[in-house]
Amino acid sequence: MYGKTSIFNQFTLNKEKVVNTFQQILTDKLCEPEHYLFHGFLTSLMPSHHREILRVVVVDTRDNRIECGMREGLAKTEAKKNIHNHDASAFRWTKFLFNKDWNDNSLYDLVVPVKKRNHRQITKEILSYFHQTSVLRTTETKKSVHALRG
């Protein structure tokens, strides 16, 4: 899904079909009474107009990301390669879906820079936004999600 789009995709539309399937699965999950935490590239498939969804991206500098990879046991060159591959995948994915770069602010409700903060501090900031009334599940947002199912 995140790799380069096949030249045959213009005829088969396989990537579009898979995206539509994933969107339907995510919509079905949103219709359930449980609360979910989704992460990763697939979250880009969540309907952007639903208020109960908080789209967050956590960003850090390239150097800090390399350091983090090295702390996790990677060689510096391997960490650089992993970061490059991840960034390239993110770029291709958002270009395919929205014709935008992965770091385009319009794709997110909240951009959280790491700034040498730990996981607890970052989580606290995200949760403070999450608990705002504007992103809580309401009867109106439930109806909106159910309308997507058709």
Side-chain angles (χ1 to χ4, degrees), residues 24-90:
Q24 187 59 51
I25 291 167
L26 290 171
T27 299
D28 290 346
K29 289 291 181 192
L30 289 173
C31 290
E32 295 176 6
E34 294 86 12
H35 296 278
Y36 290 94
L37 174 65
F38 297 99
H39 64 91
F41 292 139
L42 289 179
T43 59
S44 301
L45 299 176
M46 296 286 201
S48 62
H49 57 281
H50 292 288
R51 292 188 335 225
E52 69 186 40
I53 300 170
L54 179 65
R55 287 167 195 74
V56 179
V57 64
V58 179
V59 295
D60 203 356
T61 66
R62 186 173 187 274
D63 289 340
N64 287 344
R65 293 167 67 200
I66 291 169
E67 285 178 31
C68 182
M70 291 170 56
R71 281 193 305 273
E72 293 177 1
L74 298 176
K76 188 173 186 173
T77 54
E78 190 177 4
K80 286 181 177 180
K81 182 180 176 183
N82 286 354
I83 289 166
H84 172 78
N85 290 340
H86 182 271
D87 290 350
S89 293

Side-chain angles (χ1 to χ4, degrees), residues 5-17 96:
T5 303
S6 165
I7 58 170
F8 298 109
N9 191 67
Q10 61 184 322
F11 306 110
T12 64
L13 300 177
N14 283 338
K15 200 165 189 174
E16 289 81 356
K17 290 175 187 174
F96 175 76

Side-chain angles (χ1 to χ4, degrees), residues 78-144:
E78 190 177 4
K80 286 181 177 180
K81 182 180 176 183
N82 286 354
I83 289 166
H84 172 78
N85 290 340
H86 182 271
D87 290 350
S89 293
F91 175 80
R92 283 190 299 268
W93 181 244
T94 56
K95 271 296 186 201
F96 175 76
L97 291 176
F98 310 110
N99 200 29
K100 294 181 180 185
D101 290 340
W102 71 268
N103 59 352
D104 188 309
N105 286 345
S106 69
L107 298 176
Y108 310 101
D109 301 312
L110 177 62
V111 178
V112 181
V114 173
K115 295 181 188 174
K116 300 281 186 182
R117 295 184 292 172
N118 64 37
H119 291 91
R120 288 182 191 266
Q121 292 166 318
I122 294 168
T123 302
K124 185 177 179 179
E125 181 175 347
I126 294 169
L127 286 174
S128 72
Y129 279 86
F130 177 76
H131 290 295
Q132 292 178 10
T133 306
S134 62
V135 294
L136 297 179
R137 185 173 282 193
T138 65
T139 304
E140 181 183 309
T141 61
K142 287 180 193 177
K143 287 179 183 176
S144 179

